[in-house]
């Protein structure tokens, strides 16, 4: 409104550059975290071993034959979906593991919202270009392989958490309202398994983003 178009363009680039640089940094950091977790075979082994230990703490040891029913029910729900899986997500038992809480958030940052993209014939922004590149990658066999590995990483958490939730709910008094029974069971699982959706201070979030990723 107040300066020539070429000057305005340079001013806007200066204003937007730090935000774009930070988004690019977050994108690269997300890829690094993916390599350290989802794409690291050793992490998968530690993930399973850790969940075996947490299931012991939750009173749902996989070695106890009496718990086999809950693991079978959890497997069926994870494979077929349905109300049990929906209930677990609604109760906050599932959907807060590392993959869901961090990697999927990173993916949402990478892929631009179609509603915000205006095709004006000009060169796409840096972030939009990255998003389109990732979108093309997801459609390739390599991308599908990554999705399978990520799903496996997620399932390594979900099978133990869901089985513990089903047992905790079954142990509740039949006289309790269903909503209260679900809430108590979810609270029990969240007590004994690690979750990544809990809030923290802005200082710790900044350290986790830069100094100690």
């Amino acid at each position: 409104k107040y300066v020539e178009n070429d000057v305005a363009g340079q001013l806007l680039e200066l204003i937007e550059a730090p935000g774009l640089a930070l988004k690019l940094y977050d994108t690269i950091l997300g890829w690094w975290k993916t390599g350290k977790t989802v794409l690291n075979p050793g992490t998968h082994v530690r993930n399973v071993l850790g969940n075996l230990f947490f299931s012991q703490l939750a009173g749902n040891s996989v070695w106890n034959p009496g718990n086999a029913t809950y693991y079978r029910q959890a497997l069926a729900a994870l494979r077929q979906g349905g109300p049990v899986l929906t209930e677990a997500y609604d109760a906050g038992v599932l959907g807060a593991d590392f993959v869901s809480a961090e990697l999927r958030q990173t993916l949402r940052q990478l892929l631009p919202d179609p509603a915000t993209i205006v095709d004006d014939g000009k060169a796409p922004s840096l972030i939009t270009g990255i998003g389109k590149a990732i979108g093309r990658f997801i459609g390739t066999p390599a991308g599908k392989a990554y999705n399978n590995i990520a799903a496996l990483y997620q399932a390594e958490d979900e099978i133990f958490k869901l089985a513990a939730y089903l047992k905790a709910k079954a142990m509740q008094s039949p006289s309790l309202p269903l909503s209260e029974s679900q809430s108590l069971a979810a609270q029990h699982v969240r007590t004994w398994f690690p979750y990544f959706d809990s809030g923290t201070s802005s200082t710790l979030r900044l350290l986790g983003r830069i100094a100690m990723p």
Side-chain angles (χ1 to χ4, degrees):
K1 182 175 180 179
Y2 298 104
V3 298
E4 295 293 334
N5 287 339
D6 57 341
V7 177
Q10 294 181 39
L11 289 174
L12 290 173
E13 287 179 3
L14 287 173
I15 294 171
E16 296 172 356
L20 289 174
L22 197 55
K23 289 182 179 179
L24 179 59
Y25 169 80
D26 287 340
T27 297
I28 296 173
L29 182 62
W31 291 342
W32 178 80
K33 288 184 177 182
T34 301
K36 294 289 287 185
T37 55
V38 175
L39 300 180
N40 185 352
T43 302
H44 285 263
V45 175
R46 289 188 292 271
N47 200 31
V48 173
L49 291 176
N51 281 308
L52 287 172
F53 174 71
F54 296 131
S55 68
Q56 293 266 12
L57 297 179
N60 196 44
S61 170
V62 70
W63 313 115
N64 184 350
N67 296 326
T69 299
Y70 305 111
Y71 282 97
R72 282 196 296 268
Q73 293 174 356
L75 277 172
L78 290 175
R79 284 176 56 87
Q80 302 166 12
V84 173
L85 195 61
T86 302
E87 176 186 320
Y89 273 96
D90 290 341
V93 174
L94 302 183
D97 53 274
F98 181 82
V99 173
S100 296
E102 184 130 6
L103 297 187
R104 302 221 186 275
Q105 177 63 33
T106 299
L107 193 59
R108 283 194 294 271
Q109 293 174 352
L110 291 176
L111 297 177
D113 183 355
T116 65
I117 297 175
V118 178
D119 187 5
D120 55 4
K122 297 180 180 179
S125 69
L126 175 64
I127 300 304
T128 302
I130 291 176
K132 289 182 177 180
I134 295 298
R136 288 193 295 269
F137 169 76
I138 290 175
T140 65
K144 293 177 181 178
Y146 166 77
N147 288 340
N148 291 336
I149 296 172
L152 175 63
Y153 185 88
Q154 190 169 11
E156 292 162 4
D157 283 327
E158 290 184 339
I159 179 63
F160 292 97
K161 291 177 179 177
L162 185 54
Y165 171 75
L166 292 172
K167 179 177 181 179
K169 193 173 74 167
M171 299 296 289
Q172 301 298 325
S173 171
S175 61
L176 283 177
L178 180 60
S179 60
E180 186 175 349
S181 176
Q182 293 172 352
S183 177
L184 289 173
Q187 182 180 350
H188 173 77
V189 176
R190 295 182 72 90
T191 298
W192 298 111
F193 286 87
Y195 282 82
F196 294 86
D197 60 343
S198 58
T200 185
S201 71
S202 58
T203 301
L204 289 178
R205 285 198 299 270
L206 180 62
L207 288 174
R209 191 181 189 185
I210 299 174
M212 298 181 295

